């Protein structure tokens, strides 16, 4: 993960983008463990690997300015805050936890096993605590994108920039 993040920052800089700006030093192990304790979820190894490089990213206005293109990396404390916000507000509309993963014809919904680790505006990149799959969640629309991993997200954004396009994810799921 360390080399992939370094590659992303290099590609962003070469393209004149500020996506690598405002990145924080590595997260302390205790801060990562607080995610597990507060949310009663296992923090996936891939997210731990990201935090071993950067522990978050300073707030930046919405746009193409985050480590994950449009999405800036949250600190461990912000992850807990966002997860609790979704748990307290979004799930209130359902009588029970929605089915997960969603079928191809179902827009899907946020579930408590999704850990929101990066966002821009109302869009959140979430990693599933058990499978490690990455989902992009938009409260008004559901789960709008799916990728197999955080690495796949970074690789897709890097390739987009190399092709002369915006630093963002492509096709919906």
């Amino acid at each position: 993960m360390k080399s992939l993040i370094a590659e992303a920052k290099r590609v962003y800089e070469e393209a004149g983008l500020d996506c690598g700006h405002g990145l924080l030093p590595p997260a302390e192990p205790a801060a990562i463990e607080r995610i597990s304790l507060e949310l009663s979820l296992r923090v996936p190894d891939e997210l731990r690997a990201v935090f071993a490089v950067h522990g978050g990213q300073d707030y930046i206005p919405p746009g193409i300015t985050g480590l994950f293109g449009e999405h800036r990396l949250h600190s461990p404390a912000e992850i807990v805050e966002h997860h609790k916000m979704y748990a307290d507000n979004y799930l209130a509309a359902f009588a029970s936890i929605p089915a997960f993963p969603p079928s191809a014809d179902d827009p899907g919904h946020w579930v408590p096993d999704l850990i929101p680790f990066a966002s821009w505006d109302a869009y959140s990149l979430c990693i599933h605590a058990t499978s490690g799959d990455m989902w992009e969640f938009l409260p008004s629309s559901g789960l709008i994108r799916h990728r197999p991993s955080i690495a796949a997200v970074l690789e897709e954004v890097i390739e987009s920039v190399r092709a002369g396009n915006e630093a963002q994810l492509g096709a919906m799921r």
Side-chain angles (χ1 to χ4, degrees), residues 79-91 110 124 139:
I79 285 175
V80 170
E81 185 179 304
H82 282 237
H83 188 278
K84 287 184 176 185
M85 175 184 65
Y86 290 145
D88 291 347
N89 297 300
Y90 184 75
L91 286 181
W110 184 86
S124 290

Side-chain angles (χ1 to χ4, degrees), residues 20-133:
H21 294 190
L23 289 163
L24 303 176
E28 294 293 328
I32 299 167
E33 288 311 310
R34 267 195 302 281
I35 297 170
S36 291
L37 293 172
E38 297 258 353
L39 305 182
S40 298
L41 294 172
R42 181 187 161 280
V43 176
D45 293 341
E46 194 175 34
L47 184 55
R48 288 176 182 275
V50 170
F51 282 138
V53 180
H54 293 294
Q57 193 167 11
D58 289 335
Y59 176 78
I60 44 181
I64 312 294
T65 55
L67 178 60
F68 299 94
E70 296 168 316
H71 303 80
R72 78 172 178 89
L73 177 63
H74 291 297
S75 70
E78 289 172 313
I79 285 175
V80 170
E81 185 179 304
H82 282 237
H83 188 278
K84 287 184 176 185
M85 175 184 65
Y86 290 145
D88 291 347
N89 297 300
Y90 184 75
L91 286 181
F94 300 96
S96 62
I97 303 289
F100 193 87
S103 62
D105 61 337
D106 179 2
H109 302 282
W110 184 86
V111 295
D113 285 349
L114 290 173
I115 301 171
F117 67 91
S119 71
W120 76 279
D121 200 21
Y123 298 78
S124 290
L125 292 182
C126 303
I127 189 168
H128 191 270
T130 305
S131 71
D133 283 8

